[in-house]
Amino acid sequence: MTTTAGEADVVVRPRASGKRDGEGKGVATTAHIALILWSLLVILPLVWTLLSSFKSTQEILGNPLSLPSKLRFGNYANAWTTAGIGQYFLNTVIVVGSALVLVMVLGAMCAYVLARFQFFGNRVIYYSMLGGLTFPVFLAIVPLFFVLKNFGLLNTLPGLIITYVAFALPFTVFFLHSFFKALPGEVYEAAQIDGAGEWRSFFSVMLPMARPGMASVAIFNFLGLWNQFLLPVALNTNSNNYVLSQGMASFASQAGYAVDFGALFAAVVITVAPVLVVYIFFQRQLQVSVTAGGVK
Amino acid sequence: MTATHDVAPGAGPKRSGTRRRRPLTFDRVSFMVVFLGLPLAIFVIFVISPFVQALYYSLTDWSGFSSGMNFVGFDNYVKLFHDDIFLRAVRNNVELAIVVPLVTIVLSLTLATLVTVGGSGTGTVRGLRNSGFYRIVSFFPYVIPAIVIGLIWAQVFTPGSGILDAVLSKIGLSGFANYAWLGDARTAMPASMFVMIWGGVGFYMVLFIAAIRGIDPEVFEAARIDGAGRFRTAIFLTIPLIRDNVQTAYIYLGIAALDAFVYMQALNPGGGPQNTTLVMPQQLFTTAFTKGQFGYSTAMGVILAAVTMLFALLVFLVNRLTGGSDRKVKVRR
């Protein structure tokens, strides 16, 4: 196989042929080594975290490289209840879940109108959404604090949800805009002729057709909202309403004094494991979605 | 189906005349109000209005909870340019925005190239065998919240109980036995940069793999037949063909590096030894919510926004000046 290919090369360019064979194998081996090294660099800290989550604090401080002497599941119980990770987890599920559903519905509706209806101000709205995408949230954070305060939404979950929705909206609209634009107009016309109103045309006809786009944005938004840190830290200072990311940060800074390192590592595992497991099952879909979302 | 055909002629002329100006039924009015009005109201109240307010507050001496606020013009900005700690933060951010995108892109491009064209064999250009595994693993960090990435690495770097010092002394580098990577002014910043790069490489690797797979394989064939080695192919063929993706990646990474808040909060909440890892957003956050100097902190926000815009503009400009957009046209399918 390689020899024939080598001979083919000889015909085209005699000088390069000799070393080609060896080079091909060598490059593949080098590539594997480089990629394995990188994979180890990614996996090892995670494995170490997992192992440490079963150790006692003495074991962790004493010898970081040792294996846990026994599997201490108590760390997980401590993290879940004593450190409040269970409550934070619940808050995160509520906040991220509601915000995700809301932003998908509102974003799809807005993108649909902007993409398929011509009216005065259409372009202005679209470009101001794009603008909202480019400015750093930090510029808005202080006034935002007072906007929420004036609405009585500061330190509440609904306040956090609506802020999440507002800041995830531009990307959602931007992404779905092109999707709705590309849908065939005939289907909409047919729905109208069949007597469907605007609402019905959207929910029964146009929205289902945009499903692939919706799935991509939903995944992208989910990861973004799950990852959100600044908004909760600034706008949600009541520790009963903490979401996971901010709960983790506060737990870690307390752990510096109170030192339940086993529970800290367990909390990290609790935070990371669900998404990581889902990712391993749906990795292809996720990578496709993220690529589609990221290239835009 | 036939029914639609019967109705179509009657509906036709009405539509073609004034296409969008249809009678205002309840259905249509409620539709526009809810579909456009509701999202827009949320967007204007929670995104646009804070941005606009920020511009105004940055020109006042507002301390927040007191109702009094004086218009002080550009005093805040003048003060910022004499504020050594803030200037230090700006410098750190600029360092981050130069190093992190550069290293992340070089690393992820290299890994993406290895995956897509690193396969053995001399015939067709082949991807590496079993490369799916590397792709899956490299992407892990993307699904881990940044704060948790920061916390994991903060533990790895901790002297005594961290794994890094333990490994280093195990392989004989006993000088690092109790080295505080994040506590020493010399290494705090590089270590933080490393964490950000660790978190970013997998994502951009996946993006670049997708981009490289989008290139017509015949182009690689042609280059091979002409005798170009793999390295030359990567530098002179792959990168020019996906330079738009690289530009996008550079802008995203740069913006992330100008933020860096989450990572730095996790690694060194206090700004690091001698403020070596302090970034603008951290300083803004403390100034606003700990010190209560809201006017002054919004001025920092304006500077941050300006630096971000400037950065994006610079990347566009460099890409354009080095012959950006005209090359891709030829080979895109």
Side-chain angles (χ1 to χ4, degrees):
Chain A
M1 177 71 189
T2 36
T3 35
T4 40
E7 279 159 14
D9 264 0
V10 177
V11 181
V12 183
R13 199 160 256 254
R15 293 193 60 206
S17 71
K19 60 177 184 180
R20 242 338 138 65
D21 281 23
E23 188 206 283
K25 280 233 171 66
V27 169
T29 314
T30 321
H32 273 295
I33 291 172
L35 285 160
I36 286 170
L37 282 179
W38 180 257
S39 304
L40 283 177
L41 196 60
V42 171
I43 292 178
L44 285 182
L46 300 179
V47 171
W48 178 67
T49 305
L50 182 67
L51 289 177
S52 301
S53 75
F54 292 111
K55 290 170 152 186
S56 69
T57 298
Q58 282 78 9
E59 282 180 278
I60 291 169
L61 296 180
N63 187 356
L65 289 178
S66 69
L67 291 171
S69 56
K70 60 173 181 164
L71 296 182
R72 286 186 174 77
F73 287 99
N75 285 338
Y76 283 84
N78 286 343
W80 189 259
T81 48
T82 319
I85 297 297
Q87 179 65 43
Y88 305 154
F89 205 97
L90 187 68
N91 291 339
T92 311
V93 169
I94 292 171
V95 171
V96 172
S98 324
L100 191 61
V101 170
L102 271 174
V103 80
M104 291 313 294
V105 172
L106 291 174
M109 296 195 316
C110 188
Y112 173 68
V113 172
L114 288 178
R116 300 199 71 93
F117 291 78
Q118 278 137 25
F119 54 89
F120 180 74
N122 185 319
R123 295 268 92 184
V124 176
I125 295 172
Y126 183 67
Y127 283 117
S128 69
M129 289 245 163
L130 271 188
L133 208 58
T134 44
F135 281 99
V137 185
F138 273 96
L139 178 55
I141 198 71
V142 172
L144 193 59
F145 180 87
F146 290 95
V147 168
L148 284 176
K149 196 167 180 242
N150 292 337
F151 278 106
L153 289 170
L154 200 63
N155 299 331
T156 66
L157 294 185
L160 206 54
I161 292 170
I162 200 151
T163 321
Y164 276 18
V165 170
F167 279 89
L169 203 57
F171 176 77
T172 313
V173 170
F174 176 57
F175 188 94
L176 290 176
H177 187 267
S178 55
F179 249 89
F180 281 116
K181 199 130 213 168
L183 292 184
E186 289 81 6
V187 184
Y188 168 79
E189 312 254 305
Q192 294 278 299
I193 290 161
D194 282 347
E198 300 289 0
W199 285 76
R200 223 182 122 78
S201 311
F202 176 74
F203 283 108
S204 322
V205 180
M206 302 305 271
L207 191 59
M209 284 203 295
R211 203 176 288 154
M214 294 285 284
S216 293
V217 196
I219 291 176
F220 212 74
N221 275 339
F222 169 76
L223 287 172
L225 297 178
W226 185 263
N227 206 347
Q228 188 54 256
F229 180 69
L230 168 67
L231 292 175
V233 166
L235 307 173
N236 179 33
T237 47
N238 177 351
S239 62
N240 289 324
N241 289 338
Y242 274 5
V243 294
L244 216 41
S245 56
Q246 102 191 98
M248 285 296 307
S250 101
F251 180 37
S253 61
Q254 286 163 16
Y257 312 101
V259 213
D260 187 350
F261 282 107
L264 178 64
F265 282 105
V268 168
V269 174
I270 292 173
T271 313
V272 170
V275 190
L276 212 54
V277 169
V278 172
Y279 162 65
I280 289 171
F281 280 108
F282 294 100
Q283 49 90 15
R284 195 161 289 275
Q285 171 63 33
L286 183 79
Q287 293 197 352
V288 169
S289 302
V290 164
T291 313
V295 173
K296 283 262 155 184
Chain B
M1 265 297 115
T2 40
T4 28
H5 269 283
D6 289 340
V7 183
K14 207 168 53 183
R15 188 176 314 252
S16 60
T18 51
R19 231 183 100 101
R20 298 297 170 194
R21 220 158 287 165
R22 300 183 205 130
L24 294 174
T25 59
F26 174 75
D27 178 58
R28 276 175 195 140
V29 173
S30 65
F31 171 79
M32 283 310 258
V33 168
V34 173
F35 274 54
L36 190 63
L38 195 61
L40 220 56
I42 293 176
F43 181 66
V44 168
I45 294 172
F46 294 97
V47 180
I48 297 288
S49 100
F51 279 138
V52 176
Q53 286 179 51
L55 292 179
Y56 176 72
Y57 289 147
S58 74
L59 303 173
T60 69
D61 63 355
W62 189 33
S63 67
F65 299 100
S66 62
S67 51
M69 135 175 31
N70 301 309
F71 188 81
V72 295
F74 290 98
D75 282 8
N76 284 330
Y77 294 95
V78 175
K79 201 170 135 197
L80 273 179
F81 281 104
H82 295 96
D83 183 336
D84 284 340
I85 296 181
F86 182 73
L87 290 179
R88 174 82 222 199
V90 175
R91 219 185 87 192
N92 291 340
N93 266 129
V94 170
E95 268 174 36
L96 279 166
I98 293 170
V99 177
V100 172
L102 205 66
V103 179
T104 310
I105 285 180
V106 169
L107 247 175
S108 48
L109 253 181
T110 310
L111 295 174
T113 309
L114 291 180
V115 166
T116 46
V117 297
S120 61
T122 43
T124 50
V125 177
R126 237 180 274 157
L128 208 55
R129 245 180 253 166
N130 306 322
S131 63
F133 170 78
Y134 303 125
R135 221 185 49 233
I136 295 172
V137 168
S138 309
F139 202 68
F140 272 171
Y142 185 69
V143 295
I144 303 175
I147 186 80
V148 177
I149 292 180
L151 292 178
I152 292 176
W153 279 98
Q155 294 302 323
V156 171
F157 286 138
T158 306
S161 66
I163 194 178
L164 182 58
D165 285 350
V167 168
L168 286 179
S169 38
K170 195 116 200 168
I171 56 177
L173 297 166
S174 52
F176 291 105
N178 257 313
Y179 189 74
W181 292 90
L182 295 168
D184 190 305
R186 284 167 302 172
T187 50
M189 191 55 155
S192 308
M193 285 172 169
F194 170 82
V195 177
M196 291 182 70
I197 293 162
W198 186 88
V201 165
F203 177 76
Y204 291 95
M205 180 178 153
V206 167
L207 279 193
F208 290 144
I209 289 176
I212 294 174
R213 293 245 162 94
I215 299 173
D216 191 341
E218 282 175 25
V219 179
F220 286 115
E221 290 311 309
R224 266 216 167 167
I225 290 168
D226 286 350
R230 286 163 205 266
F231 184 72
R232 281 174 61 97
T233 313
I235 299 290
F236 295 108
L237 197 69
T238 313
I239 294 178
L241 284 175
I242 63 164
R243 68 181 296 154
D244 276 10
N245 300 75
V246 175
Q247 176 191 290
T248 312
Y250 212 105
I251 292 178
Y252 280 9
L253 279 161
I255 290 175
L258 287 172
D259 182 330
F261 179 71
V262 189
Y263 286 106
M264 296 312 182
Q265 268 321 83
L267 294 168
N268 256 325
Q274 292 135 49
N275 291 323
T276 39
T277 63
L278 184 75
V279 288
M280 281 190 268
Q282 279 181 307
Q283 187 60 10
L284 187 159
F285 198 88
T286 329
T287 310
F289 297 107
T290 314
K291 295 187 190 156
Q293 301 172 351
F294 289 104
Y296 191 46
S297 69
T298 42
M300 293 181 181
V302 174
I303 300 280
L304 176 63
V307 174
T308 310
M309 298 290 144
L310 200 71
F311 173 81
L313 202 72
L314 213 66
V315 175
F316 270 119
L317 211 67
V318 168
N319 191 27
R320 186 52 60 87
L321 287 179
T322 51
S325 345
D326 45 312
R327 276 195 220 175
K328 62 167 184 184
V329 190
K330 285 184 226 156
V331 209
R332 273 279 158 82
R333 275 184 296 173

